């Protein structure tokens, strides 16, 4: 029976190739030793990956031994480095300022075998931004893994090996979150069309939210050993966490932010912009462009953090702030560092002709006062009148807060409640918004829409 399996079944079986972090490519080799062990079939997987890269560049270890032909050797080194750089950095998106260089070095004084015999071939990574290079082995473990795996897969492709099942153990484990996404296009575009790929991961960034049907959970059962299942959300909490986290990241990127994100201090700002957009469009004017994804972030203190996070994702980010916001200085510094869209810091005072203003100051003061009286009808013994407000204070919200304090109203004034009244009673209240408010809103929308690319 075993003879039949070996003779007939084994040739039809696919080959399994397991690749882990310890299979990394060496950054420095002694060429005589490498050639000798290549001939005797004693190469490690990492060394075979290095030979594959050299072959991809159209050179062999022997080409670097002829040290008498200096110009030819220099040309071979430069051409090989360029080819390898193009190959690797097609998929490595984290730093586009890197390039691979090959150097032929003499042995160091007192070097131990096999590095006592020249020539020594060293792989270096040059950073164009800092105009300096470091040995390949001194780069991050994640970069070394990615580089080594791509090189090794090149060897499999060059050998014409088919019917492979590639087993990848925690690919990209040493990479930070964003960089962990780089192996996914490599798997989809280069590996999966020709081979079956299975990889294990605990990282949500290695789970493609567009293809959750590919995911399988692995649970160590008390009885029966490990169980692999496609019923991914029937798994225990710890096993399902990377999948849930992946979905959460995707939802955050699409539901709350978009390609063009307008950061607002709070939800009341969003309501006012939506209502004023409806009023503008009713009056045949232009409201806020729907391409803006309006994102309240829960207070001015969080503005600089959100700007930094979203700007790092190469989104078009603008910020609408009250002119009294204490965080304006920090946001301005972010703008100066190109974290915001050009002219992307928009202050309400630009449209109210006052040095200090909140979004509520876009409205006529008496109209906003009516919203407050409706919102706090149960807390106020009598409505607040315009005569109680300090007309010298440019901010109507601060005027209201002063009245609350003077009347000793225990309920703290909440910016959202008047906005909620306007939203609930929009049909009745919106037609009463005066022409001056509509003009200010039109100026605001024109300013914000100018930050978007032309359609």
């Amino acid at each position: 029976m075993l003879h039949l399996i070996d003779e007939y079944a084994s040739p039809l079986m696919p080959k399994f190739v397991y690749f882990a972090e310890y299979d990394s490519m060496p950054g420095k080799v002694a060429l005589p030793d490498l050639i000798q062990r290549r001939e005797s079939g004693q190469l490690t997987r990492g060394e075979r990956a290095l030979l594959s890269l050299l072959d991809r560049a159209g050179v062999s270890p022997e080409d670097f031994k002829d040290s008498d032909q200096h110009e030819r050797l220099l040309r071979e080194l430069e051409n090989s480095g360029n080819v390898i750089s193009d190959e690797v950095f097609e998929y490595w998106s984290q730093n586009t300022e890197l390039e691979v260089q090959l150097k032929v070095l003499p042995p160091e004084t007192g070097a131990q075998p096999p590095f006592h015999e020249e020539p020594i071939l060293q792989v270096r990574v040059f950073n164009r931004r800092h105009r300096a290079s470091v040995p390949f082995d001194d780069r991050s473990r994640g970069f070394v893994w990615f580089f080594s795996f791509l090189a090794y897969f090149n060897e499999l492709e060059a050998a014409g090996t088919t019917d492979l099942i590639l087993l990848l153990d925690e690919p990209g484990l040493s990479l930070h979150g964003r960089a962990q996404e780089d192996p996914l296009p490599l798997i989809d575009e280069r590996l999966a069309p020709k081979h079956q790929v299975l990889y294990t991961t605990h990282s949500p960034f290695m789970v493609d939210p567009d293809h959750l049907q590919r995911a399988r959970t692995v649970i160590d059962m008390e009885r029966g050993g490990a169980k692999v299942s496609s019923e991914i959300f029937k798994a225990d909490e710890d096993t399902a966490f990377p999948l849930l986290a992946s979905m959460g990241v995707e939802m955050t990127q699409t539901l709350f932010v978009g390609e063009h994100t307008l950061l607002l201090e709070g939800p009341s700002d969003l309501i006012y912009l939506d209502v004023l957009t409806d009023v503008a469009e009713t009056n045949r004017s232009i409201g806020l462009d729907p391409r803006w994804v309006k994102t309240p972030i829960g207070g001015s203190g969080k503005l600089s953090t959100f700007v930094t996070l979203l700007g790092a994702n190469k989104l078009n980010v603008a910020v609408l702030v009250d002119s009294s916001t204490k965080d304006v200085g920090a946001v301005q510094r972010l703008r100066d560092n190109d974290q915001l869209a050009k002219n992307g810091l928009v202050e309400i005072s630009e449209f109210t002709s006052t040095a200090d203003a909140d979004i509520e100051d876009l409205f006529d003061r008496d109209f906003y006062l009516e919203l407050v009286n409706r919102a706090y009808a149960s807390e106020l013994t009598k409505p607040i009148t315009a005569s109680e407000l300090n007309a010298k204070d440019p901010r109507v919200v601060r005027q209201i807060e002063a009245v609350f304090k003077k009347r000793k109203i225990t309920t703290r004034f909440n910016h959202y409640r008047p906005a909620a009244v306007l939203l609930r009673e929009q049909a009745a209240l919106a037609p009463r918004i005066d022409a001056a408010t509509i003009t200010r809103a039109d100026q605001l929308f024109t300013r914000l829409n100018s930050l978007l690319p032309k359609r």
Side-chain angles (χ1 to χ4, degrees):
M1 181 67 178
L2 292 177
H3 170 71
L4 293 176
I5 292 176
D6 289 339
E7 184 173 353
Y8 296 104
S10 293
L12 300 177
M13 292 288 289
K15 294 181 179 180
F16 290 83
V17 176
Y18 176 80
F19 193 88
E21 188 170 348
Y22 54 76
D23 294 312
S24 296
M25 190 185 83
K28 184 171 72 173
V29 292
L31 289 175
D33 176 70
L34 183 70
I35 293 171
Q36 181 183 351
R37 288 187 302 104
R38 182 193 63 187
E39 300 304 324
S40 61
Q42 297 178 341
L43 293 176
T44 66
R45 181 175 290 175
E47 290 168 337
R48 286 160 49 196
L50 175 59
L51 288 177
S52 172
L53 271 185
L54 296 178
D55 182 68
R56 195 84 170 184
V59 294
S60 67
E62 288 81 1
D63 293 328
F64 300 109
K65 293 183 67 177
D66 189 3
S67 58
D68 293 334
Q69 300 292 326
H70 296 293
E71 186 62 34
R72 177 181 176 276
L73 178 60
L74 181 62
R75 187 171 60 252
E76 294 286 7
L77 290 171
E78 291 178 347
N79 290 341
S80 301
N82 291 337
V83 172
I84 293 171
S85 297
D86 292 342
E87 181 75 19
V88 172
F89 298 114
E90 178 182 355
Y91 293 101
W92 181 262
S93 66
Q94 302 311 302
N95 189 341
T96 59
E97 298 293 328
L98 302 179
E99 62 183 48
V100 176
Q101 295 179 339
L102 299 181
K103 302 288 185 181
V104 172
L105 308 174
E108 296 180 356
T109 303
Q112 298 296 312
F115 295 102
H116 66 296
E117 187 177 1
E118 66 178 340
I120 308 298
L121 179 65
Q122 185 184 54
V123 181
R124 300 185 66 84
V125 180
F126 180 78
N127 190 315
R128 291 189 294 270
R129 177 185 300 171
H130 302 297
R131 289 184 281 186
S133 68
V134 297
F136 172 73
D137 296 326
D138 289 351
R139 293 292 304 185
S140 66
R141 290 171 60 194
F143 176 81
V144 170
W145 178 92
F146 185 85
F147 193 111
S148 300
F149 173 70
L150 181 57
Y152 178 66
F153 181 71
N154 282 338
E155 192 224 349
L156 297 178
E157 283 190 321
T161 309
T162 57
D163 295 328
L164 289 180
I165 296 180
L166 300 176
L167 307 175
L168 310 182
D169 189 3
E170 294 280 5
L173 181 63
S174 303
L175 299 170
H176 69 75
R178 285 290 304 274
Q180 288 178 21
E181 298 175 354
D182 280 354
L184 296 179
L186 173 62
I187 291 172
D188 280 343
E189 297 170 15
R190 289 282 297 277
L191 307 185
K194 299 178 181 178
H195 314 288
Q196 185 172 358
V197 183
L198 302 176
Y199 67 87
T200 60
T201 187
H202 293 88
S203 169
F205 298 99
M206 286 295 296
V207 179
D208 188 345
D210 293 330
H211 298 286
L212 285 178
Q213 75 280 3
R214 299 176 181 174
R216 300 292 184 270
T217 57
V218 181
I219 307 173
D220 188 7
M221 308 295 289
E222 186 175 344
R223 294 182 180 180
K227 180 180 179 181
V228 180
S229 173
S230 60
E231 301 292 330
I232 57 179
F233 295 115
K234 290 185 179 180
D236 60 81
E237 182 178 353
D238 289 340
T239 303
F241 176 77
L243 299 164
L244 296 171
S246 176
M247 293 180 63
V249 170
E250 178 68 10
M251 289 177 64
T252 300
Q253 293 294 321
T254 57
L255 184 59
F256 302 111
V257 299
E259 181 182 1
H260 308 293
T261 300
L262 176 61
L263 294 182
L264 309 172
E265 292 188 45
S268 57
D269 301 51
L270 188 151
I271 291 175
Y272 291 136
L273 292 181
D274 282 347
V275 171
L276 289 173
T277 293
D278 289 342
V279 172
E281 292 175 348
T282 300
N283 286 273
R284 297 183 179 181
S285 185
I286 298 175
L288 186 65
D289 193 303
R291 286 180 290 171
W292 282 117
V293 176
K294 302 181 291 295
T295 305
I297 50 89
S300 62
K302 301 178 183 179
L303 278 173
S304 58
T305 300
F306 271 78
V307 169
T308 302
L309 291 173
L310 296 176
N313 286 321
K314 308 301 181 184
L315 302 177
N316 181 35
V317 181
V319 178
L320 178 64
V321 292
D322 298 336
S323 306
S324 56
T325 296
K326 296 178 181 179
D327 207 41
V328 167
V331 176
Q332 285 176 330
R333 288 191 292 273
L334 291 170
R335 178 193 59 191
D336 295 338
N337 292 328
D338 295 327
Q339 296 288 346
L340 278 175
K342 186 177 181 181
N343 300 319
L345 177 59
V346 182
E347 297 184 55
I348 295 297
S349 60
E350 296 178 35
F351 317 101
T352 60
S353 301
T354 58
D356 202 4
D358 300 314
I359 193 169
E360 289 83 357
D361 294 308
L362 291 175
F363 294 94
D364 174 73
R365 189 186 64 173
D366 291 340
F367 178 82
Y368 183 72
L369 183 58
E370 182 176 351
L371 296 182
V372 173
N373 285 327
R374 292 191 184 209
Y376 286 91
S378 59
E379 286 93 341
L380 297 171
T381 55
K382 61 179 181 177
I384 299 173
T385 62
S387 61
E388 295 180 79
L389 302 180
N390 179 11
K392 295 181 179 180
D393 192 327
R395 293 174 54 203
V396 67
V397 167
R398 196 157 54 195
Q399 296 174 29
I400 300 293
E401 290 172 340
V403 173
F404 268 52
K405 184 177 181 180
K406 184 176 180 179
R407 288 194 184 187
K408 298 181 180 180
I409 298 172
T410 57
T411 302
R412 185 177 179 181
F413 181 68
N414 186 332
H415 291 224
Y416 179 76
R417 286 178 62 173
V421 168
L422 178 59
L423 182 63
R424 287 195 305 268
E425 304 178 35
Q426 180 176 347
L429 292 173
R432 296 167 54 184
I433 295 176
D434 66 349
T437 300
I438 296 174
T439 298
R440 288 189 286 270
D442 182 69
Q443 293 170 348
L444 170 61
F445 295 146
T446 300
R447 170 83 161 82
L448 290 171
N449 293 343
S450 70
L451 303 177
L452 295 171
K454 294 183 179 180
R455 293 179 183 272

